[in-house]
Amino acid sequence: MTDNLTDNPTASLSGNPIADPTASTRGRTTAPVTSDDRLVDVIVIGGGTGGYATALRAAALGLTVVLAERDKVGGTCLHRGCIPSKAMLHAAELVDGIAEARERWGVKASVDSIDWQALVATRDDIVSRNHKGVEGHLAHAGVRVLRGSAQLTGPRGVFIEGYGNFSARRGIVLATGSRPRMLPGLQADGRHVVTSDDALFAPGLPGSVLVLGGGAIGVEYASFHRSMGAEVTLVEAADRLVPLEDADVSRHLTRGLKKRGIDVQTGARFLDASVLPDGVRASVRTARGEIRTIEAERLLVAVGRTPVTDGLGLAAAGLAVDERGFVAPADWSRLETAVPGIHVVGDLLPPPSLGLAHASFSEGLLVAETLAQVASPPVDYTAVPRVTYSSPQTASVGLTEAEARNRGDDVVVNTMPLTAVAKGMVHGQGGVVKVVAARGGQVLGVHLVGPNVSEMIAESQLIVGWDAEPSDVARHIHAHPTLSEAVGETFLTLAGRGLHQQ
């Protein structure tokens, strides 16, 4: 959730005017930098989702804001992660839809070929339009975006490469994001060995892929490549995929991926790999202790991300990273570090922050409002939805069944297959709704697997966030026929009013 900006910033160190970041669309340049320009209310380092959200909200509240970004505003999410990957996954859904039309519905259609360059052009156009939109929002809000690396010089000071020293009256916000974590002995080359940052930008579609890492990112890329016709092996060291999700989510997801022909290896350890002229050869120890050799045209490493703090100058401000590389807040209600006035958002935060773009938007709002001295509720990380955009999709919010039981809650659980409702039969992809609630009390978690559940989780987010009880939900009518009926039926049963589920 870091990173970037392409246009020139607003003014040079010498005071000579240079091109405004939006001069190409607004047709004007800015005034020279003065000493007054170097003293602002807020300095944000990093223009990813958390950084630019902070900047926009702070400017809307009347604060003067400088946003330092060494690449393109929008960060990893917009340029290398969330947006381009979901564009590609949508294309994958279209390919899958053609196969379903032929196999289930008698529509005699087939995919003759995939025009990779056309697919990439559509993806890049979506990213470009979003990027221009973010730039436009920042310009309209009056945020000064300076392209250059930034380094802390003290509790209120920042040096921005190419612009010099700036000072913040209210505070500094660290939003430098993260980068993919690599395994020892592996080095990404952008072709045969890739990370989640460059997987979608590697040349062409491989015929076979080995994915290391069964979290959300690894599962999504495995799903995409399978839809595009590749032979896919998905290796996860934990005993199940998406191990932070509810165990039933993992089970149904694994079943769906295997049904699609993905070779899922959980409880497996990557040992080593060598690059061949036309791909890679890797060794993996399976859950049974067997050594398995896997050859593939591409090896995709998706074993997590690590915070970006190199060159940030934390020590100059009296800060340090924790043992995992995160910059921990001293006060989570303000996301403020032990150094007053220095705040953190996005992937620099340790758990319970989730490293999700939508969570960082909320973190940015909280920090901006805190700096503007406006009352702001802390982020409720339990109520942040989590989605994996694979086929099948997963979506969840709140506690898993194991988390609820481990903290001592007396819980009741109800599950309902999506195929128990007519629309689920129409889709024919299986799936499940699972609700975890306190006995006689509020809903603690909702977990979904199946088609389009990413668009169904918002209702459950409100249910969990508002501490609703099953009876509160059961009074509301769900449209028929829809997939969301299964959610409604699950709550009806928990409220003692079950119809189709007794």
Side-chain angles (χ1 to χ4, degrees):
M1 293 184 296
T2 29
D3 300 41
N4 315 349
L5 175 78
T6 51
D7 300 303
N8 287 329
T10 54
S12 69
L13 258 179
S14 64
N16 297 320
I18 61 175
D20 185 273
T22 56
S24 60
T25 57
R26 287 160 48 198
R28 60 184 176 86
T29 58
T30 60
V33 171
T34 66
S35 58
D36 289 340
D37 293 326
R38 298 185 182 281
L39 178 60
V40 297
D41 292 320
V42 179
I43 301 171
V44 181
I45 303 177
T49 50
Y52 83 69
T54 306
L56 285 174
R57 182 59 179 150
L61 291 170
L63 303 182
T64 54
V65 183
V66 162
L67 171 61
E69 174 49 63
R70 64 187 179 189
D71 198 356
K72 298 177 183 177
V73 290
T76 295
C77 178
L78 175 52
H79 297 282
R80 296 179 293 280
C82 320
I83 306 307
S85 67
K86 275 50 180 184
M88 303 292 263
L89 283 162
H90 176 67
E93 288 176 2
L94 298 178
V95 174
D96 291 339
I98 294 171
E100 181 189 354
R102 180 180 65 253
E103 295 165 8
R104 289 192 70 213
W105 300 100
V107 179
K108 303 305 180 184
S110 61
V111 178
D112 295 330
S113 64
I114 295 174
D115 186 337
W116 179 251
Q117 295 306 317
L119 194 157
V120 165
T122 301
R123 175 201 70 197
D124 291 349
D125 177 63
I126 293 167
V127 170
S128 176
R129 284 188 285 138
N130 274 273
H131 178 219
K132 290 176 182 177
V134 173
E135 287 186 311
H137 285 310
L138 291 166
H140 180 74
V143 175
R144 287 175 60 205
V145 180
L146 304 183
R147 182 179 178 182
S149 297
Q151 184 176 23
L152 295 167
T153 59
R156 285 290 189 279
V158 175
F159 175 81
I160 302 176
E161 182 183 15
Y163 300 92
N165 290 300
F166 290 79
S167 297
R169 297 186 190 91
R170 299 289 183 92
I172 297 168
V173 183
L174 307 181
T176 50
S178 63
R179 65 169 64 93
R181 180 181 290 113
M182 286 298 292
L183 292 170
L186 284 179
Q187 184 172 352
D189 60 14
R191 184 177 181 85
H192 296 310
V193 180
V194 298
T195 69
S196 58
D197 271 7
D198 51 31
L200 294 179
F201 305 93
L205 286 167
S208 55
V209 180
L210 168 60
V211 179
L212 299 180
I217 295 174
V219 167
E220 288 178 4
Y221 280 105
S223 180
F224 168 78
H225 285 292
R226 183 58 185 156
S227 296
M228 292 299 175
E231 295 297 321
V232 178
T233 302
L234 177 58
V235 174
E236 167 57 41
D239 61 359
R240 58 188 177 92
L241 297 181
V242 288
L244 298 181
E245 297 294 344
D246 189 272
D248 283 327
V249 169
S250 299
R251 181 167 57 86
H252 282 271
L253 172 63
T254 301
R255 179 186 300 166
L257 295 177
K258 287 183 175 181
K259 184 178 179 180
R260 295 181 57 208
I262 295 176
D263 180 7
V264 177
Q265 296 291 324
T266 55
R269 295 284 176 177
F270 167 77
L271 300 177
D272 57 52
S274 57
V275 178
L276 308 175
D278 57 352
V280 296
R281 179 184 294 121
S283 297
V284 172
R285 178 179 287 110
T286 69
R288 295 181 177 181
E290 302 165 346
I291 305 300
R292 180 178 170 187
T293 299
I294 303 171
E295 291 192 3
E297 293 181 23
R298 189 165 294 163
L299 170 61
L300 196 160
V301 183
V303 293
R305 300 181 66 87
T306 187
V308 174
T309 57
D310 44 304
L312 191 53
L314 294 174
L319 291 170
V321 298
D322 66 13
E323 65 278 3
R324 295 169 294 177
F326 295 107
V327 180
D331 184 349
W332 279 92
S333 70
R334 299 165 54 88
L335 296 180
E336 188 172 25
T337 68
V339 177
I342 299 183
H343 299 255
V344 189
V345 298
D347 288 5
L348 288 185
L349 287 167
S353 182
L354 300 170
L356 298 173
H358 47 284
S360 73
F361 283 136
S362 186
E363 291 161 354
L365 290 170
L366 167 61
V367 168
E369 289 164 359
T370 296
L371 291 170
Q373 300 178 345
V374 173
S376 186
V379 179
D380 180 1
Y381 290 105
T382 303
V384 175
R386 307 177 299 274
V387 178
T388 303
Y389 298 84
S390 52
S391 178
Q393 295 183 353
T394 78
S396 60
V397 63
L399 300 178
T400 67
E401 179 182 354
E403 287 171 338
R405 293 190 187 281
N406 288 341
R407 77 174 194 178
D409 289 314
D410 180 14
V411 303
V412 291
V413 175
N414 188 28
T415 62
M416 185 174 189
L418 287 184
T419 51
V421 298
K423 198 62 180 291
M425 296 180 190
V426 171
H427 282 279
Q429 297 179 29
V432 70
V433 175
K434 178 175 181 176
V435 175
V436 181
R439 189 176 301 277
Q442 70 191 62
V443 178
L444 302 175
V446 180
H447 309 276
L448 312 174
V449 181
N452 304 321
V453 295
S454 60
E455 304 296 340
M456 292 168 56
I457 196 61
E459 172 189 20
S460 298
Q461 179 185 3
L462 295 178
I463 292 168
V464 171
W466 286 346
D467 298 334
E469 298 186 6
S471 58
D472 297 322
V473 185
R475 72 182 64 168
H476 296 287
I477 300 169
H478 290 71
H480 172 80
T482 61
L483 291 174
S484 65
E485 273 187 288
V487 176
E489 287 273 354
T490 305
F491 281 105
L492 277 170
T493 302
L494 283 173
R497 302 174 62 199
L499 287 177
H500 302 94
Q501 186 187 41
Q502 300 298 326

